[in-house]
Amino acid sequence: MTFDVVSTRRGFPGLMQTARGGVALHYLDNAATTQMVQEAIDAYVHHEITSRANVQRGSHYLAERSTEAYESARSMVCQFLHASSPKEVIFTSGTTESINLLVSSFGSLLRVGDEIVVSEAEHHSNFLPWQRLCDATGVILKILPVTKEGRLDIDALPHYVSKRCRLIALTHCSNVTGHITDVLSVVKVADSVGAKVFLDGAQMVQHGPVDVQELGVDFYAFSGHKCFGPTGIGVLWGPEEQLQKLPPFQTGGGMVNYVDVDSVRFADYSRRFEAGTPPIAQAIALASALQWMMTLDWDAVLQHEQRLFKRAINGVNSIPGIHLLGEPNQEHRQSLISFANDSIHPHDICHVLDESGVALRGGHHCAQILLRKMGVTTSTRFSIALYNNDADIDALINGLERAVEMLS
Amino acid sequence: MNGKDSLQHVKEIAQRVHQPYRLQGADAMAISENPLCGDEVLIELKIEGKTITDVGYSVNGCLLCKAASALLIELMKGGSCHEVQTTHDRLEAMLQGRAESCLKPFKIFEQISNHSARHGCVMLPFQATLTALKQQ
């Protein structure tokens, strides 16, 4: 089975428009947000028209339809992650909230002197909440370094994990270099001391379904807007027995079984963590995006992405003055990478490429620790999704050559 | 930055703050950072009465940020504190399409008024300066 990028692109109305000045749009900022697939857009609109009502509260027709659709969405996420039960799927507003939920809830069980391990490669979302927790509680934050190529130094991990380690919280895929974490090795080290493992899957999910059981991790988070779904929806996954041990994150309606003036019994499993009205239509649209993803031949998709990535890496790497962050090979990495030029600011590069319709990301990518470790404060990033094509890569390389010539 | 001539002009202006210039014994100082990219503008002021007599600076930023910094610094030397606020307001209004023009040297930024993401690059040195002036 081969991957048909032409027909795939037709399923993304966001790609059918032109960019500023009427030039063709070449969207290469997929690590920030992917475009939304038509199936997800349709599901969102359909739900809001036909089934708009609050969930898990009313007993009328629309309330039942809404609740059924919402819980079906949970089941779809369960399938996508190859989890054991929909009860293990918590809907959040996004990866950031998922991590803050975990930090607040799991963190409340920790004691002074317990240890959390993160890495220098983390997005601020998987660094700042842990740093704040440790500052406030006396829990010790240990930071796994990266190699000079920007990969997690997994060989050094055992030196950072003691018997007081309670959790190792790492990115599944770097949002700066695209490097994929060697999860099996991480889990092995964690198991040796009985620590839990959390993975930030924000950059991983747009490249295919994930198998949390095969990975052997304890918690996993991702965002809908990075896998062809809407913004405002994300997931935290954890096994039933883990979730049942954790206290709630926020409190409010929908997450309790019984309340009195002097007592409360919280709901079980994922419902305990969903206080207030959840992002219902967003969850349903996310489920449609994931369902669409699960119809694809991912070997063929990844082959397509990696072919374009190779072209892009070779092209960008051949432009004088540009240096890639991380080594230019494609081993164990997704199709995104950042690059820098000693004398040209990424915002200026992005500005010039934007005039050619090429959408890139310039800045620190919410990963200032990693960038500084790699000797820069800012960089430019391109990130390739399944709907990108050769014209996008041509526009990237030609635009970048022009930008360097103009700005040098 | 539409067109090579315009870009060249911005580059030439930006070049003027390539090297930092620091003051001893400044009366006011502030640093502003752009949260998008971590760019940083440091402004130091010497003030006599209501007149800015000297300006120290260190600009770590893109071309637009550097060019705006250079123009603002030149405007401030010998100018009044009030003038900074007035120029800020007129420039912001021009970028946001609420006014047609602003002080002449800053007209070069009109070309990026439709690039809202870059307004912050131009306004960063103003932020630092206005923060410093509030210390007075």
Side-chain angles (χ1 to χ4, degrees), chain B residues 28-101:
Chain B
M29 188 277 276
I31 297 172
S32 278
E33 292 162 333
N34 184 337
L36 287 179
C37 55
D39 282 358
E40 194 177 274
V41 175
L42 174 149
I43 295 287
E44 296 164 324
L45 302 172
K46 276 202 171 174
I47 301 169
E48 289 176 17
K50 291 184 177 178
T51 303
I52 298 168
T53 56
D54 204 359
V55 183
Y57 55 85
S58 173
V59 183
N60 177 17
C62 62
L63 283 177
L64 292 175
C65 178
K66 286 180 175 172
S69 299
L71 293 174
L72 176 61
I73 289 160
E74 285 157 18
L75 172 84
M76 282 196 288
K77 286 181 184 171
S80 72
C81 302
H82 177 69
E83 217 171 343
V84 176
Q85 184 69 58
T86 308
T87 307
H88 166 275
D89 294 348
R90 290 179 64 189
L91 176 58
E92 190 176 66
M94 182 189 75
L95 289 174
Q96 294 175 356
R98 292 183 283 111
E100 286 189 0
S101 65

Side-chain angles (χ1 to χ4, degrees), chain A residues 20 345 347-349 351-352 354-355 361-365 368 377-378 405-408, chain B residues 1-2 4 7 11 34-39 60-64 112 114-115 118 121:
Chain A
R20 201 192 311 267
H345 194 284
H347 274 184
D348 297 323
I349 289 177
H351 191 118
V352 172
D354 180 61
E355 289 169 357
R361 169 78 182 273
H364 52 56
H365 314 300
Q368 290 180 318
T377 54
T378 60
E405 186 192 328
M406 286 173 71
L407 296 164
S408 291
Chain B
M1 297 197 289
N2 307 317
K4 282 191 175 177
L7 174 62
K11 282 166 71 176
N34 184 337
L36 287 179
C37 55
D39 282 358
N60 177 17
C62 62
L63 283 177
L64 292 175
I112 59 109
N114 63 342
H115 287 259
R118 303 222 62 193
C121 308

